[in-house]
Amino acid sequence: MTIETATTSDEALKPVGSARAGRAARHTRRAQAHTRSAPAYITRQIPTFDLIGEEGLQRIELAADRILAEIGIEFRGDPETVRLFREAGAKFDGVRGTFEPGMLREILKTAPSEFIQHARNPARSVKIGGDGIVFAPAYGSPFVMDLDRGRRYGTLEDFQNFVKLAYMSPSMHHSGGTVCEPVDVPVNKRHLDMVLAHFLNSDKALLGSVTEPSRAQDSVDMARIVFGDAFTDSNCVIMGNFNVNSPLVWDGTMTGGIRAYAAAGQGNVIVPFILGGAMGPVTNAGAIAQALAETMAGCALTQLVRPGAPVIFGNFLSSMALRSGSPTFGTPEPAIGSLVVGQLARRLNLPLRCSGSFTTSKLPDAQSTAESMMSMLAAVQCGAHFVLHAAGFLDGLLSMSYEKFVIDADICSAMHTYLGGMAVDDNALALDAFAEVGPGNHFFGCAHTLANYESAFWDTELSDNDPFETWEENGSLDMATRANAKWKKMLSQYQPPPIDEGIAEGLAEFVARKKASMDDAWH
């Protein structure tokens, strides 16, 4: 699969002069095309990887069932959620509920195995589940970082910049959600500015607010302005990403928000955040059993509120440096755990969110790329359908990096080709080329090479493949420096997607009215 639809001409097909000239021409066409020619999402053409066998999967599921039945999960601060589960058959001692084996799996049978999240631009709508794969930017960092100004608190301008970069990046299929925290806006009002920025600065699908149930409802209400009540009532147009308070606690802020999205028929991404040795066991199997129990409970809540509401089975496994207590990201144990989580999600017939470009590195350097690749390969091999944190993740998710964003976006574009698999048709087997070239000659100028010149290999936007001498003559620039120039150029070329004037005015009026109805709150 290619990132963009190839555009060819006789001149572009001629492998003469410098190979760099052909690459430069392709880069120019990409810059001119922006997101118009990119696929809305990836269609998987390679199989997922099953790591463990039936006995191992059953043992993990049995452990999760025992956690649910013998230990239980607490639902704090949300009597309505307790009521829903009690009426469905759960037993409660105060706010702690226990569940008979199989109960949650039965409830989850009404959840769709795949669904469409509609974008403001219909051509950007994404399929989540089945053979669809969606990449979205990193989420939730309080800090931002670039080579020029270093690490600092995120602002609304930074937030808008990352939405613009995601819109302009062909390998990002989704606008994401809280791509960074705009700490210059009051806590109780920033969700309005964030959702507004997504709708105005991009036409891709998005995540709404989850920090308080009324803010989740505001996100849904803003989506109704864009899509209309009738369409919103019967289609997924916005989603929320909700974290379990591991271990084994769902707090009312999260469950109230889940209920708001589910009641409106909108999507929920249910994600435990298990830091091995802190919020869960240090062993993979135990952490996965815990995650399975926690996630099934959250996913089941959506179906109790509205059977058939779209929900994504999420997972966020992480390790830690046990000598210091510091979290670690992009390490092999969580990556291998993701493969098993993928198997468990498929057995539940639910779409999966898993892994991303995780790293604990403080800079967009070799450590950050090595750790991110470990994690991203696990995501595509485990069968993840929605990959949050696909670009920009740095500093253990504390910082959103401008340079790391465009580096990760380049890696994601390579993943498009990787997930496209390999053709074995007449053109791919190239027998005509062998007949033309014969023994001892080269293929560079043959008809088959000319015909496949632009589409044969993935072409990086950032890596330098020139000889050492040429690289040195051009300034000896490293990847981070090239990425710094890249994001600045992208923002200078940004043009907002068109939006209906009435919709834009309706959104602005909603935001202004909501802000005027409350005093600023900074905590």
Side-chain angles (χ1 to χ4, degrees), residues 217 220 224 232-235 259-266 305-306 309:
Q217 188 61 55
V220 173
R224 288 182 178 279
T232 302
D233 286 340
S234 55
N235 294 279
R259 290 191 292 102
Y261 280 98
Q266 302 309 303
V305 173
R306 182 166 170 167

Side-chain angles (χ1 to χ4, degrees), residues 66-75 96-99 247-249:
R66 290 191 61 184
I67 291 169
L68 289 166
E70 300 173 17
I71 300 165
I73 294 179
E74 291 190 1
F75 299 91
R96 183 183 295 197
T98 54
F99 309 84
L248 305 175
V249 173

